[in-house]
Amino acid sequence: MTATPILTAVRARDLAQDLPTVRPDSDALAAARLIASHRLPGVAVVDADGNPVAVLPASQVLRFVVPTYIQEDPHLARVVDEATADRSAGALAGKRVGDLLPARGQRVELAAVEGDATALHCAALMARLHSPLVVVTDDGRVRGLLTAAHLLEVLLSSAEDGSGQASTK
Amino acid sequence: MTATPILTAVRARDLAQDLPTVRPDSDALAAARLIASHRLPGVAVVDADGNPVAVLPASQVLRFVVPTYIQEDPHLARVVDEATADRSAGALAGKRVGDLLPARGQRVELAAVEGDATALHCAALMARLHSPLVVVTDDGRVRGLLTAAHLLEVLLSSAEDGSGQASTK
């Protein structure tokens, strides 16, 4: 394996994937569908100006299909009757993304980077914030998302072909 | 949207995906490749007996390709020179998964469920532990993994077709 300049040469705008974001007033079911269809670790929540608000993790969405008393003791799921427990995805109907977000102090801060930020900058932010994704902006508009898994993929493929060029999508 | 019995009728063994796990002494690069190739939120770490140890999140793996002083101030990534910073994926070479895990008190607890646990039980565990995945075991052996995103997908597809039957893979 050879060292390559990918971390400092490749820019966030070339790494960003065209994945949708949601707003606090977006439909909760739509956010759940985004996470499911793209197999995302969570979805990025931005405000009306495109500023990052938080990550809505997939596990946090699941919380809303589970009755509270079962969240507290998952073993009760074994004995609960279907009529009581089976709110399933219906529990998300009518809810907003803002209703699903963790309390402000418990949120995963969503990082945003400018399009010309290096891959190194993106990696450092995700590591520091324990965030599975960052929002990439260009001229103040959301250009796309970069997940930690995708960034790892780019780093590894670069290291393995030894070219120092990233396959960026 | 109709309520369906999926949460109480579908079992973890039918939801588990055949995704590899790693051990604390597994090669760190191999764990990074797993995360990247399956676009996982992280990888499940189990001990030699198959008992769950922790989740190794993708963002935690990224930490090891970033020099410490840049982790502390990601903006330094803008000014660092290539020779200093570009350890890239090479920084993972020779490391073990155990070297990458967060300190014990900061770990995401990895949940394990028996194969006959209900989907509801799985959802409750992921929500309570803020975990993006659970390990599914059968007769003491790891049968597979279930991610939060995949469980959401099953719940949503069931709700949308109204059949109450999950498409489990």
Side-chain angles (χ1 to χ4, degrees):
Chain A
M1 178 170 301
T2 55
T4 68
I6 181 172
L7 274 173
T8 47
V10 176
R11 303 292 166 166
R13 71 169 60 86
D14 301 314
L15 295 168
Q17 299 176 283
D18 188 18
L19 296 169
T21 57
V22 297
R23 294 183 185 178
D25 63 354
S26 297
D27 184 61
L29 266 172
R33 282 192 200 102
L34 270 181
I35 289 170
S37 61
H38 295 282
R39 296 287 170 96
L40 291 172
V43 65
V45 185
V46 300
D47 68 17
D49 298 322
N51 296 317
V53 172
V55 173
L56 176 62
S59 60
Q60 181 71 18
V61 180
L62 283 174
R63 176 180 296 276
F64 281 78
V65 303
V66 178
T68 308
Y69 64 96
I70 294 178
Q71 284 176 36
E72 287 161 5
D73 183 358
H75 288 93
L76 289 178
R78 291 180 182 276
V79 296
V80 75
D81 69 279
E82 293 187 5
T84 307
D86 236 315
R87 307 188 299 166
S88 191
L92 296 172
K95 288 215 162 50
R96 300 286 154 192
V97 165
D99 301 328
L100 271 54
L101 284 174
R104 213 165 269 274
Q106 299 179 333
R107 288 185 189 172
V108 174
E109 182 186 341
L110 176 61
V113 295
E114 294 289 326
D116 66 353
T118 60
L120 179 62
H121 186 166
C122 298
L125 260 184
M126 287 192 258
R128 189 169 63 86
L129 299 176
H130 305 286
S131 175
L133 39 81
V134 294
V135 170
V136 181
T137 62
D138 248 346
D139 295 329
R141 298 190 57 234
V142 175
R143 186 185 181 100
L145 299 184
L146 175 59
T147 66
H150 183 60
L151 181 51
L152 272 178
E153 185 180 24
V154 173
L155 295 178
L156 290 167
S157 64
S158 166
E160 278 157 17
D161 70 16
S163 70
Q165 298 300 312
S167 57
T168 53
K169 292 274 169 176
Chain B
M1 177 168 301
T2 55
T4 69
I6 180 172
L7 275 173
T8 47
V10 176
R11 303 293 167 164
R13 72 169 59 87
D14 301 315
L15 296 168
Q17 298 177 283
D18 188 19
L19 295 170
T21 57
V22 296
R23 294 184 185 179
D25 63 355
S26 297
D27 183 62
L29 265 173
R33 283 193 200 100
L34 271 182
I35 289 170
S37 62
H38 295 283
R39 296 287 170 94
L40 291 172
V43 65
V45 186
V46 300
D47 68 17
D49 298 322
N51 296 316
V53 172
V55 173
L56 175 62
S59 60
Q60 180 72 19
V61 181
L62 283 173
R63 175 181 297 275
F64 282 77
V65 303
V66 178
T68 308
Y69 65 95
I70 294 178
Q71 285 176 36
E72 286 161 5
D73 184 358
H75 287 94
L76 289 179
R78 291 179 183 276
V79 296
V80 76
D81 68 280
E82 293 188 4
T84 307
D86 234 316
R87 306 189 301 166
S88 192
L92 295 172
K95 289 218 163 46
R96 300 285 155 192
V97 165
D99 302 327
L100 272 54
L101 284 173
R104 213 164 268 275
Q106 299 178 334
R107 289 184 188 172
V108 174
E109 182 185 342
L110 176 61
V113 296
E114 295 288 326
D116 65 353
T118 60
L120 178 61
H121 186 167
C122 298
L125 261 184
M126 287 192 257
R128 188 168 63 86
L129 299 177
H130 306 284
S131 176
L133 39 81
V134 293
V135 170
V136 181
T137 61
D138 247 346
D139 295 327
R141 298 191 55 235
V142 174
R143 187 186 180 100
L145 299 185
L146 175 59
T147 66
H150 182 60
L151 181 51
L152 272 178
E153 185 180 25
V154 173
L155 295 179
L156 290 167
S157 64
S158 166
E160 278 158 17
D161 70 16
S163 70
Q165 298 300 313
S167 60
T168 54
K169 291 274 169 173

